[in-house]
Amino acid sequence: MRVFLASIPLEGAKVVVVGAGEPALAKLRLFLSSPAELVWFTPDGLPAALETPPAAPTPNARIPEPGDLNGARLVFIALSDIALARSIAEVARKAGAQVNLVDQPGFSDFHTPALIDRDDVVVGVATGGNAPILARDLRSRIEAVLPQGVASVAKLAGELRGAVKESIPDFLARRRFWEKAFRSPAADLAADGRMAEARREMVRLLNVAAAPRDEVAQGMVHIVGAGPGDPELLTLKALRALQDADVIIHDKLVSTEVLDRARRDARRIYVGKARGDHSVPQDQIEQLMIEEARAGHRVVRLKGGDPFVFGRGGEELEAVRAAGIEAIVVPGITAALACAASVGLPLTHRDHAQAVTFVTGQPKPGGQAADWVRLAAPNHTLAVYMGAGQAAEIASNLIAAGRDGATPVAVVENGSRPDQHTLKGRLDDLAALVARMDLTGPALLFIGETAALAVASDERALIEAAA
């Protein structure tokens, strides 16, 4: 280990920043939300008003004097005049402060790590001052998997720390309790901002740990949208749920690349469905979710796209909650948004479409038929899910309801994935267009004026060849 990252309490601490340029402002911004006393000197002139952080202290447009630095714990100096910067640094050291000269690691007492600030939880990445840009890149990767609500989890742990130590005096047993607590629904609830429920669950876990009895802690269910297949389109919350899961119950449309982002030792259960082939009936899927949660597992029900857009996520949520199990829904990027973006097709456009409707091509058997008159309105984009097999019927119904047969359409197969395929045409030729594509993957139909703006596969190939 070449450097040691110390955790310095900021309650009652005095922090001094010297300088008015962007490097000094960056240091200033670090401490604006902290409890430290922040003092700012700008001997090199005042920064532009628009660049000054709104909550910044009033700058002192002069060189700090020795008395200004008395009691300072940390001093940051960012001046273009190197001689002046080193002179101020020596005065600060004599006053007992630790000094950082920006971009001068050899003359600094410490280096500023790349920080992830989650209030009570702070993560730092340091490279000894050698590669600050690398540190920032690594910080971004860590930040992507760190829950925004992790500070609430830490606060809850701080509230209960004394009670836990008193109830579980053995150090190893106490450590096992905290490991279990931070992987329990209590931590999820706290991260979700539901502090009262989290506190009750944490206290229940503490009571069980302090007086063991024959009780299995109940798990919880996350109903998670996996997006269209590109793992980089997963939300941060979905990624965290995958990496914390004990059991993953996933659909056919969830890509291997998305599953590869999950916790490696999580048990995976495939319950995929295709037209006319339901490997596991819906009621059995719901019962499986309930049973796994009752066994104490953190269950992720992973669904392609968004679970609440033609994903039957609502039915699963009702079933899980009716069984008395805590459930959290994590939305995903639904296929219509991803496919449209991947081919440059705006779903709304000031000149072409003032409305967009998501509609299924396979309504519930015996259910109410689509309102084709409403769906046939001009200046209106239709995104049709599960409609490839009914392309001829959809086109016929829309034309009969008044939609012009020359209305542009686009068919996008495997949107956002490497094997994406797109064709464009007219509404009165939609069935032939679908047949020509010989679809093997999931496809969306886009109907409306904006479909003409999509980039088809042959057009994309021409663009790439020209580049």
Side-chain angles (χ1 to χ4, degrees), residues 26 36 60 72 90 127 205 380 419 431:
N60 300 286
E90 286 307 311
T127 60
L205 289 173
H380 180 189
D419 55 350

Side-chain angles (χ1 to χ4, degrees), residues 259-270:
L259 285 171
D260 285 344
R261 301 293 177 100
R263 178 175 149 189
R264 293 190 181 278
D265 59 345
R267 188 155 52 91
R268 302 177 187 191
I269 302 174
Y270 173 71

Side-chain angles (χ1 to χ4, degrees), residues 229-232 234 242 254-262 417-418:
D230 181 350
E232 293 190 356
L234 279 170
L242 282 173
V254 176
S255 70
T256 301
E257 292 78 10
V258 166
L259 285 171
D260 285 344
R261 301 293 177 100
R417 303 187 187 191

Side-chain angles (χ1 to χ4, degrees), residues 206-227:
L206 177 57
N207 290 335
V208 171
R213 53 186 181 271
D214 293 333
E215 177 181 338
V216 177
Q218 183 162 277
M220 73 183 307
V221 172
H222 286 76
I223 301 175
V224 177

